[in-house]
Amino acid sequence: MGRVIAVASLAWALLAQQHGDTPRDVETGARLYTANCIVCHGPEGESVPGVNLRRRQLRHGYSDEELMRTILKGVPGTPMPPGNFAPSELFAFAAYIHTMREGPDRGAKTGDASKGRVVFEGKGGCPACHRVYGAGSRLGPDLSEVGAIRTAWYLEQSLLEPEESVLPEHQFVRAVTRNGSVVTGRRLNEDTLTVQLIDNQDRLISLTKADLREFRAEKGSPMQSYRNKLTAAELADLISYLSSLRGLP
């Protein structure tokens, strides 16, 4: 029975793969990789002899199907055990490894993390929206572990094309109450009855949907592109700093 379930999971994941990766898939895959794989394979996927996930080097082939099969079945005679993952998790694993593989071809230039912190806190103005290790605003997503769940290439794309990497849970929303008050902010949680958000004054606000006459997600991202704001060297330094943020201050 277990083998049947594993084969069905693999078939489902491969079918889902045809619809393309999303930022949510990549983030989920990054967290799964960090929790299950990073100790042996390393943050860049190259710590196991003969295996390099970034360069598509696997002992048992490098297609998505073979990758997912290896994750499910493990590798007999090695420390890698069989995995008990749902189809959506297999898909997320593959999505994250896709971004690892894209890095060498479209990767960001290596910079100086210490200089990047100066850019982050100064010219970049990032603490006005983002929080790192308890310092900064909660208006945007907390970046304290962003280096553990995002590749350098993905970080570069997020800085240059922020509208392409907004997750649903990070969307900004606009609500109008029955008395006409307008509330805007980043959505934190939402269910059928209520929605919680952080407004631009860093306040946590909870709204009851029955008390609203209008509620909608804003299109795009409030974050402006850094394409023309930073030099190439400053951008590389900033990406290196963000890559160094792995939840350990």
Side-chain angles (χ1 to χ4, degrees):
M1 178 63 71
R3 180 176 177 82
V4 173
I5 293 175
V7 172
S9 296
L10 180 56
W12 190 98
L14 287 170
L15 179 62
Q17 193 83 35
Q18 298 174 7
H19 297 285
D21 303 334
T22 68
R24 182 192 288 271
D25 298 325
V26 174
E27 181 160 316
T28 299
R31 294 186 184 279
L32 286 168
Y33 182 89
T34 299
N36 297 277
C37 313
I38 199 169
V39 170
C40 293
H41 286 277
E44 303 300 326
E46 57 187 11
S47 296
V48 174
V51 176
N52 190 315
L53 299 176
R54 184 178 294 280
R55 296 182 181 177
R56 301 174 63 91
Q57 294 175 356
L58 298 176
R59 293 173 181 171
H60 303 279
Y62 57 78
S63 69
D64 286 344
E65 179 178 4
E66 290 162 326
L67 171 66
M68 293 178 187
R69 182 176 290 112
T70 299
I71 292 172
L72 277 175
K73 297 175 63 178
V75 181
T78 76
M80 183 167 178
N84 183 22
F85 298 105
S88 59
E89 292 175 322
L90 290 174
F91 180 32
F93 266 120
Y96 176 62
I97 291 173
H98 288 167
T99 67
M100 293 176 70
R101 292 172 178 174
E102 289 168 351
D105 296 326
R106 301 172 60 186
K109 295 180 180 179
T110 300
D112 184 314
S114 61
K115 292 181 179 179
R117 180 175 181 176
V118 174
V119 174
F120 181 92
E121 296 175 349
K123 186 175 180 179
C126 307
C129 295
H130 296 284
R131 198 169 182 83
V132 172
Y133 304 144
S137 171
R138 294 182 176 87
L139 183 61
D142 192 308
L143 301 180
S144 299
E145 59 175 1
V146 70
I149 62 176
R150 299 293 193 196
T151 63
W153 170 80
Y154 196 99
L155 290 171
E156 180 181 52
Q157 292 301 105
S158 298
L159 291 167
L160 297 180
E161 300 174 12
E163 293 189 357
E164 301 298 320
S165 59
V166 180
L167 294 174
E169 59 265 36
H170 295 162
Q171 279 186 311
F172 273 65
V173 296
R174 181 178 187 272
V176 181
T177 65
R178 292 189 182 278
N179 64 13
S181 298
V182 179
V183 182
T184 61
R186 178 171 65 92
R187 177 168 50 193
L188 294 179
N189 300 291
E190 180 180 354
D191 55 35
T192 56
L193 300 178
T194 66
V195 60
Q196 291 76 44
L197 53 84
I198 291 285
D199 72 2
N200 58 9
Q201 296 183 43
D202 217 22
R203 297 176 301 186
L204 174 63
I205 297 176
S206 182
L207 301 171
T208 300
K209 290 183 177 180
D211 296 333
L212 304 178
R213 70 184 190 193
E214 180 183 331
F215 176 72
R216 70 168 188 266
E218 299 285 66
K219 294 182 179 180
S221 169
M223 177 175 159
Q224 299 297 308
S225 171
Y226 282 81
R227 188 179 300 278
N228 297 316
K229 185 174 182 178
L230 300 178
T231 67
E234 290 170 334
L235 181 63
D237 291 339
L238 178 56
I239 292 169
S240 292
Y241 171 63
L242 294 173
S243 296
S244 74
L245 300 177
R246 296 177 176 269
L248 298 173

